[in-house]
Amino acid sequence: SHIEWVPSYDGRARTISDSFDPEQSPEALGVVQNRRAKISEVMAAAGVKADVLWRVLRLCGVKKEITWEDAVDESGEIIKTKDLDRGGGLFCHINRHQSHMRGGRVNALKKLSQTAWVPARGPATDPDHADATELLSLQAIFPQASHKVVWAVAPTLCVQCEPTVKELKPARNIESEPGILVDQLCKLSESATSFAPIVPHVRAVFAALSHARTVKEVIIPVAGKLKGPKLASMLLAFLEWTGSWKEPDIKDLGKQLASIKWIPVEDGSIRTFSDTFDPSSCPEAFSVVKQRKAKMGSLIEDAKLDADKVWKVLILCGVKRELTWEDAVEEAQAVVTDKDMPRAVELFQHLNKQNSHLKGGRAAALKQLQSLAWVPATSPSMDPEAQKATQLLALKDVFLPSARKFVFAVAPALCIDADPTLLELRPGRKVESEPAILVQQLQKLADCAVATKDSKAMTSIVAAKHMVAAFGALPTSRIISEVILPTGTSLTGPKLTSLLVVFWEWAGSWKDADIRDLGRKIAGVKCIPVEDGSVRTINDAFDPTNSPAVFNIVRERKASIDALITEVGAKAEVIWRVLHLCDLKREITWEDAAEEADTIVRDKDLPRSGQLYAHIDKNHDKLTGKRAAALEKLQRLAWIPATKPSADSTTEEAKQLLTLKEVFAPSARKFVWAVAPSLCASGETKVHELKPGRKVESEAPVLVEQLRAVTDSACKAAGKKAVSFASIVEHLRAVFGALTPARTLSEVVIPAVAKVNQDGLTPFLLAFVEWAGSWKETEIRDLGTKLSDVKWVPGEDGTARTISASFDPENSPEAFSVVKAQRAKIAPLLTEAGLKSDAAWRVLRQCGMKQEITWEDAVLEAEAIVKDKDFTRAGHLFAHLEKQHSKLKGARTPALEKLQTLAWVPATTPSMDVAAKEAKQLLALKDVFLPSQRKLVWAVAPCLVADAEPKLHELRPGRTVEKEPQILVEQVKKLAGEGKVEASMLEHLRAVFAAMPPARVNAEVVLPAASGLKGPQLAVFLLTFLEWAATWKEADIKEVGRKLADTKWVPTEDGTSRSLGDSFDPEKSPQAFSVVSRKRVKIGAVLKDAGLKAEVVWKVLHLCGMKREITWEDSVEEAEAIIKDKDFKRAGVLFEHLNKHSKELGGNRTSALEKLQSLAWVPATAPAKDPAKQEASQLLTLKGVFAPSARKLVWAVAPTLVAAADPSLHELKPGRTIEAEPTVLVDQVKQLVESAATNALEHFRAVFGALAPARILAEVVVPVSASLPEAKLANFLLTFLEWSGSWKEAEIKDMGRKLASVNWIAVEDGGRCAILETFDPEESPGTFSVVKARRAKIATVIKDAGVRAEVIWRVLRLCGLKKEITWEDAVEEAESIMKDKDLARAEKLYAHVDKHHAKFTGARDPSLEKLQKLEWVPAKSQAKDGDSKPVVKLAAISELFPASQQRLVWAVAASLSVEIEPTLHELKPGRNIQKEPGILVDQVRQLAEKPIKTATLDHLRVAFGALTTARVLKEVVLPAATSLTGDKLANLLLSFLEWAGSWKETEIKEMGAQLSAVAWIPGKDGKPRAINDCFDPETSPEAFSIVKEGRAQLSTMLSESDLRSDVVWRVCRLCGMKTELTWADAVDEAEAVVRDKDFERAGHLISHLDKNHAKLAGERAPALEKLQSIAWVPATAPSLEAEAKEATQFLPLKSVFPPSERKLVWAVAPSLAVETVPT
């Protein structure tokens, strides 16, 4: 199959399966012609059998038919060659043979449907043009059948056959592209010079879609594009075409076209249907009609349309023949413009008479008519008889004529004889609804009442009479609240008082309770003139005869109204009675008390303050008013009579006015008389709120002041030298006892110590200590603790000390000077103050007064010994400590430490006499040796002068030879003398050397000794020693050098002696540094003078550490020199040298580097505007500069090291780093932003890369963002966002959170939002207004910033740029929808929330709670027609049923308009059929009132299926049945029975039982019967009258309905409809037989009962008992004719013989007239 070997006609070799059979393949297609196998010549040449070969080839797969892939190839060739005929051939071939074609059908058809290979007719001017004009894709053309509709504007398929392959059918069709019809109509209209020729084409377009779609999707859009006569002609042609429509459809058409202005009228304008009048039948009287008559005759004639049909449709569409309410409004407006009062009257009468015939917006029009000023009215006048019309006003501005007696002076009334009959044309103003007009009337009358005689319109008494009339216009409750009170706010002075005097007299007949209520209501009206000339409210004025006259406030506010009462002729006794009931005051209130207190404060009247205080205290329970507020004010005011602080403790006279919170109670005076005021009263007040606010318990500081004052007064009285406290001790004790001991100590005594005069402190505290003698020991110890820092106890030396620092004079040791000086000296003071000394001493000892020295005292004594240089006392102290150390208190360890350091120990002095032992000096323990080591240190160190070694470890001498080999060094120095080498000196030195091992002598004696010698002696000594050490091993010599490293003995070039390690080899050291040139060794002369071997010494010196390279210390020194010289060049050389040779440098690297880091010696740049500037311009410390590599980041704001590269030596690296100082990047960025450099973007990116993403964001970008202005912030952040594009997603998301509070993104509404508040302009739902307003609008900013837009958008989306609304956005959108009443958005929001809620962020629960409460959900309201589309409104979700239940409740309740079942629980409508089955009752009831046709049945069946069978019967059908009767009830139950036909028999029977009480089936007699009381008309016995009467009369109803009668009858039978008599029926029939005397029926009945008795239901026994007793049995009469069998009478069964016995009794007795004996 894969071998290409078959030659083709196009010359190529192909596989078998790719070649066509030349005989059996289609010839018409180019792809077949090229690929036919061309092997006839080859077969002939090969001599093979052609028929066999062709058979085999065909079996091997040579093609007889094209494949789908060939078809695709052929279409490609057609497109290349643009061969329209081949295109048609291929299309027809595929259409005809597609079922035989193999290959990838789906993919091929997909390609064929997308490529432009199909021959099509393009838009043409000739509708009959039928040839193909172009190749198009199937997606771009209409079917061939659509050509007559779209020939002028759209291409159609050009083939003769209708495509059978679905995929080959043109994709475009009129149904999905109604807009093409719009273009067609517009094309036809615009191209036509006359409309008549195009009318047939237009009609074809009109018929292309259904009526509804043609109007909505074609005509209305065309109307939006065409104008003038073309639009009018088009619509006239359409209206003529719709003439065959039903009237309801035409009327609906009129509604849809109602807003289009297209009809030309007489005034030259264009108007809508509803704004145009029929010229042949409309009222001529009104100008609005004349102007708007339709003017379309010429257009109808030009288009050759049927005028009658057109006018018929126009009238049905709404062209007017009568005024509408809107026209009436317009006419009224014209009347107002013309000020034509006669026309106004004419229009008023017309509307009042013809209002029931007018159409239009009655309510809105009447509303406008009520607001327009077109109604004739009177003007306000002081003459109540004036009734002439003088103005035009709105209805709302006039009163009825009957109201004129109340409003004649202030308001206009309608000028007609009678009130209008039309409710809406009645004047809008009523006294009942406008009590304010009475206020104005009363104001006018009040003006008259108080006016002067010359200017009065009427007398005061007449005005009062009219006032009384006005008072009666409303009920008393309303007249008070709505007239009197408002009048009180607008009138003042005598006018108001006169009005109210009249009103009070009028109210005098009221009940007392009503008058009191009146008083409460007018309590805020200032209407009572009082004595001080002001006007006050009733309850703010006092009765002039019955109020207390003691207070100023009462005298000033006595009522003064007698003159006004007389003027208006009122009865004074009635007025005063009413005022008393209205709460005219007879006693002051709490507010009055507060006000009186104010006056007391103002007048500073101390006597009155006392009277007021006493009055309130006595009468507080009688005072009314706001007690709490008044008392609060009284507590704030400084009106209380109070004492002043005094030296006299017995003073009680008031001297000042203070607030309550500033005084103490009288009982506290004994504690505070000297420092604080107390209330001047005889006792404690009964009013809690008037009690003084200060208490000793809560103001301990005042006791402190009292103590200070009392103590200071005693000091001043007695003088500083002889303080006598005897006179104040009792006062002190009173204060001490005012609080508990603990509080007295901590809150009174301790603070008082700091304030009491120093002279009085000791007696004061002695009094307190004595008073504390009764305290518990724990409290006394606490006292000692609290007073531990107070120096108040005088000592023998005259110094005041703390208790614990003083010695008990009776019980302390006498030997030491420290004890003598610190003994307490207080006995005289105790005696003088009259205090108990034993109690005081006991308390002092318990408080810590000393009876033995402490370790601290020992130290003090030792210091005194040192000061006095007293060797004897030193010995005593040493012995005392040795003996008593276990009893001493205090800090032993630090005391012993001090005793070890103080020079108080008696010791020998160094002496050349080995035997000297006498004490010559005082030294510290650490400075002396034991006596046993005197033989080693006699010449240089002191020893302790003692007989034996001390037992106390800490008092043992601190020095020993073993611990202090350096003492031997001193010995050696002593021996060394002048530095001369002598034999005796060598002997002593050897003795010293013998005291320790050689190694230690070397390290701990010889080498340290060198440090004690100076100048030439040291140099000679050590050179000699080094020469002597030349025989040592090199390691030992080097060790000597290390030990001598700190010894300065080597003479150098600058004349200074230095250590060997600080000296340089004069020949092999570096020359560059000043420190080297100064420190070269200079010992040539010394070697020569001492006679030492130079080569040996130089060798040893080199081994001992003489320098050939600088050390770290040298580098520090050189750096300091550089700083001093400010030499930038040397600084650079030193820095590079250290960096290069750091590993070779000796010395203390760490400390040197520490100093180098702290010194300002490093060459550095200064901040510059040019980043390329790198020259050193200053010396700084390392910690003050950044590395050279950081220069690109901080060049503008911070200095960097001037070096070729970053130092390799860690310690020489600059101390400042970007990582440690991200704020420097903040400054750098700010500089860059402010400079607005052209290459700022490159610098920004460098800065952003300086830190880790998290840090650069938190420590640089966020701070910069907070400080940049809005104009520059966006560019900066866009640069950063682009740079962060390479971050991990998690890092970018974290960045979004960090930038959440930065408002920088410009949005569509003009503001700026943070990322998390901004919507993605491409991926966010654009439907919602909240999204549109907050969509990012930064495309221009991105372009200007030069950043990559795709990166920016990716980062913004990862940062949280919103693609979806949040819960809060949903709530905001819902509120916006409510505001805009946008149903379309509401539906989209609902569907969006339901579909995408899982993606929403934000506060879900509170948002859903709001969404459930807000009225934003699109809902279908109630509709009368179940097939119509109900009006959609906005409602709360809790008020709706689900959309799925709309079919159940369309007639009675609103349901969700969105056709989805919400998945979000909280969005599910709150109402549900299962919860509200009662709604189905209303629905079913409404449906049952309609004929039972298919439409109604469908709705009923839906309703019945809404609940379970048991529930729908019990909760829907039965309740509905109770409110229906007659045919409506039958309609309901028949529909339900038919629907129940599919139930189980047991369920149907149960239903029958439940319906047994409902009488609904009409019988023959017309009365309704229950189903179990009716007989089946088909299967019940016909012979009986009771059956005939009880047969169900349902056939007619069933035939007229669309119910299935067979199902209904079957269910009726299962429900209990009778097919057989019951026993009760048998009894009834028997009685009827007797009544009718019908022997035949009687025979039938007895036969029937005999035959069918087993089938009869009911109670058998009582029925048979009745049948046996009733005379209903047909019987013969006795007859002489033996053959006589005819019944002639009725008898009971007991009276007849059986038929079988007739032959025996025929002549004498009756027998049963039946043929057989009953079984």
Side-chain angles (χ1 to χ4, degrees), residues 729-743:
V729 167
E730 288 305 319
H731 293 304
L732 294 177
R733 287 172 179 163
V735 175
F736 296 153
L739 302 176
T740 61
R743 290 192 64 194

Side-chain angles (χ1 to χ4, degrees), residues 645-646 664-665 668-678 696 702-703 706:
S646 170
F664 287 89
R669 190 174 294 123
K670 60 182 178 179
F671 302 129
V672 299
W673 51 266
V675 293
S678 58
V696 170
V702 83
L703 294 180
Q706 179 76 355

Side-chain angles (χ1 to χ4, degrees), residues 611-672:
Q611 290 173 349
L612 178 60
Y613 192 92
H615 185 81
I616 294 174
D617 188 40
K618 181 179 179 182
N619 299 300
H620 65 90
D621 54 342
K622 301 177 183 177
L623 270 59
T624 60
K626 296 180 179 178
R627 173 188 174 111
L631 284 170
E632 185 178 346
K633 185 175 181 181
L634 289 172
Q635 289 168 343
R636 291 197 306 269
L637 287 174
W639 69 281
I640 302 296
T643 64
K644 283 189 175 181
S646 170
D648 183 2
S649 61
T650 61
T651 184
E652 297 182 4
E653 184 181 354
K655 296 292 185 181
Q656 58 184 337
L657 293 175
L658 297 175
T659 62
L660 279 166
K661 65 181 179 180
E662 294 177 317
V663 296
F664 287 89
S667 58
R669 190 174 294 123
K670 60 182 178 179
F671 302 129
V672 299

Side-chain angles (χ1 to χ4, degrees), residues 1512-1555:
V1512 78
L1513 175 60
K1514 180 179 179 181
E1515 301 179 31
V1516 180
V1517 177
L1518 290 176
T1522 60
S1523 60
L1524 296 174
T1525 59
D1527 292 345
K1528 297 176 182 178
L1529 175 59
N1531 287 347
L1532 169 65
L1533 292 178
L1534 285 173
S1535 304
F1536 181 65
L1537 293 180
E1538 184 219 41
W1539 177 79
S1542 60
W1543 290 11
K1544 297 178 182 178
E1545 285 192 7
T1546 55
E1547 294 175 333
I1548 296 175
K1549 290 176 180 177
E1550 176 65 25
M1551 174 179 68
Q1554 295 187 56
L1555 291 175

Side-chain angles (χ1 to χ4, degrees), residues 63 137 211 849 982 1248 1250 1326 1354 1640:
K63 291 191 285 188
S137 70
H211 293 171
M849 184 170 278
E982 297 179 355
F1248 297 151
R1354 173 180 167 273
E1640 184 180 1

Side-chain angles (χ1 to χ4, degrees), residues 179 181-186 189 215 217-227 230-231 234-235 260:
L181 299 181
V182 176
D183 298 336
Q184 181 79 344
L185 288 177
C186 293
S189 298
V215 175
E217 300 176 39
V218 179
I219 298 303
I220 292 175
V222 166
K225 294 186 176 183
L226 295 178
K227 295 181 180 179
K230 293 186 181 293
L231 172 58
M234 173 65 69
L235 290 178
I260 300 174

Side-chain angles (χ1 to χ4, degrees), residues 1-6 13-19 59-62:
S1 60
H2 61 281
I3 301 174
E4 296 179 346
W5 65 277
V6 180
R14 287 182 168 80
T15 63
I16 295 175
S17 60
D18 199 26
S19 302
L59 290 172
C60 285
V62 74

